[in-house]
Amino acid sequence: MTRVGVAGLGYWGPNLARNFDELAELAWVCDLDAEHRDRFAARYPGARATASVDEMLADESLDAVVIATPVPTHYALAKRSLEAGKHVLVEKPPAMRSVEMDELVRIAAASDLVLMPGHLLLYHPGVVKLKELIADGELGEVLCVYGNRQNLGIVRTNENALWSLGVHDLSVILYLLDEDPDVATAQGRDFLTPGVEDVVFCFMRFPSGKIAHMHLSWLDPHKMRRMTVVGREKMVVFDDMELERKVTVYEKSPWKRAETYGEWQTRSGDIFIPKISTDEPLRLECRHFLELVEGRGDRAKVARDGARVVRALEMLTRSLGS
Ligand SMILES: NC(=O)c1ccc[n+]([C@@H]2O[C@H](COP(=O)([O-])OP(=O)(O)OC[C@H]3O[C@@H](n4cnc5c(N)ncnc54)[C@H](O)[C@@H]3O)[C@@H](O)[C@H]2O)c1
């Protein structure tokens, strides 16, 4: 059974520890904070507890490391873990700069190790359905995609809305379109904390001509977790706030009637709600990681997809700062 160590047991790490305890052998729990460490050492008596990632990495029988520490620590911890010969699942984004991410991808490829970013939404059955609808040609040519991730709060003070909220939607948009943007611009304002943008609008254009937009904000009256894909034949909305209609497919499209001399008409047909499984996306993400570690699936693809997200994030961040 794959032996896994989890570093970082704050808010998110415990969810990863729970899943790996159930799906694999949770061999180590690691956190700098003694209180967090002690709590999880008690919960998982079969796992060894440490404050030192290096002590955990020195265990030759450990196969894989899961990193759920704060973002600025990801690159260095992932690099050390790969260099110690461990497979790595690292929370998003694995690095803050694309040169760092490219280095991680190179090290992983050279040692045939898994480097998987924790892009949770890519495992959401609703997002998988969007991808299926696009890949099967159901929507016709995809023209544009936009994400809404808004709410009132939580007001962050050390990460702006692009980094805190945008990485999720960015990973979904790039997964759906499977292209790198050639234009990626962002505009925002730091209304509450100087230097930390609370509201960010992003625009991307892709070589195929498709365009995308993200509205990211914690200063908004609506709680929205929504992704809309507009195709020439049909349009589809993934709404994670909905319980029973996560995905809605609209048979709506523009068309031209021959007798109106090329004037555009619109067509509104049926509205279809496909059944979406309620499987926990994190469980599916952890399972996929273990499959890759066991040699099934495309190891290079998850690393490449992660690098694409960091590249686009870097373009947006540069634009936001200028
Ligand atoms: N996929 C998701 O939906 C999702 C949700 C929340 C957070 N996250 C990601 O999870 C990561 C952690 O976020 P969080 O909200 O849990 O943060 P947090 O601050 O609550 O927890 C981080 C933990 O890491 C520990 N830590 C810091 N440096 C360490 C080191 N060098 N070695 C060992 N432990 C160390 C801290 O003591 C703390 O307990 C972030 O990358 C965040 O983006 C992902």
Side-chain angles (χ1 to χ4, degrees), residues 6-16 30-34 36-37 50-53 56 67-74 77 80 90-94 118-121 156 158-159 163-164 167-168 282 285:
V6 176
L9 299 159
Y11 162 69
W12 191 244
N15 296 321
L16 288 155
C30 169
D31 201 297
L32 291 177
D33 183 307
H36 291 179
R37 207 167 54 238
T50 180
S52 155
V53 168
M56 177 170 82
I67 300 168
T69 54
V71 175
T73 66
H74 288 175
L77 292 178
R80 258 150 67 198
V90 51
E91 262 314 320
K92 42 89 201 162
H119 291 313
L120 181 70
L121 273 185
R156 308 268 176 202
N158 53 359
E159 245 185 14
W163 281 75
S164 173
V167 186
H168 286 297
L282 186 61
E285 177 190 310

Side-chain angles (χ1 to χ4, degrees), residues 194-302:
V196 179
E197 289 83 358
D198 319 279
V199 182
V200 178
F201 299 102
C202 303
F203 170 79
M204 287 179 283
R205 199 187 63 207
F206 295 84
S208 63
K210 296 176 177 57
I211 56 174
H213 164 80
M214 298 191 291
H215 179 180
L216 309 162
S217 171
W218 51 67
L219 271 186
D220 206 274
H222 312 284
K223 178 161 186 179
M224 288 172 86
R225 299 279 180 268
R226 191 184 291 171
M227 185 69 61
T228 305
V229 185
V230 176
R232 269 199 197 277
E233 311 283 330
K234 291 181 191 168
M235 306 180 182
V236 56
V237 177
F238 162 61
D239 190 341
D240 211 6
M241 297 304 297
E242 292 279 351
L243 282 178
E244 290 196 319
R245 44 183 285 181
K246 294 267 176 204
V247 172
T248 309
V249 184
Y250 296 86
E251 291 191 349
K252 290 186 179 216
S253 64
W255 68 295
K256 275 183 179 176
R257 221 169 29 203
E259 62 270 25
T260 58
Y261 304 100
E263 236 174 69
W264 283 108
Q265 312 276 314
T266 54
R267 180 186 69 101
S268 281
D270 289 340
I271 296 173
F272 177 61
I273 300 165
K275 181 168 166 48
I276 302 297
S277 114
T278 52
D279 287 346
E280 185 195 5
L282 186 61
R283 170 67 60 127
L284 299 172
E285 177 190 310
C286 295
R287 245 195 223 131
H288 187 220
F289 177 64
L290 291 170
E291 281 166 12
L292 293 174
V293 168
E294 288 157 12
R296 286 174 287 143
D298 190 345
R299 285 184 177 185
K301 185 174 187 312
V302 284

Side-chain angles (χ1 to χ4, degrees), residues 3-10 13-21 25-57 59 62 64-69:
R3 301 186 80 238
V4 180
V6 176
L9 299 159
N15 296 321
L16 288 155
R18 167 178 54 82
N19 273 288
F20 283 109
D21 180 53
E25 182 183 341
L26 183 66
W28 286 85
V29 285
C30 169
D31 201 297
L32 291 177
D33 183 307
E35 201 187 307
H36 291 179
R37 207 167 54 238
D38 292 347
R39 180 160 0 119
F40 292 95
R43 187 173 303 173
Y44 302 112
R48 291 173 68 186
T50 180
S52 155
V53 168
D54 291 318
E55 189 191 352
M56 177 170 82
L57 294 178
D59 176 356
L62 185 70
V65 171
V66 174
I67 300 168
T69 54

Side-chain angles (χ1 to χ4, degrees), residues 142-158:
V142 171
L143 305 176
C144 62
V145 183
Y146 63 91
N148 296 90
R149 192 164 289 268
Q150 296 134 245
N151 198 3
L152 186 61
I154 307 166
V155 178
R156 308 268 176 202
T157 52
N158 53 359

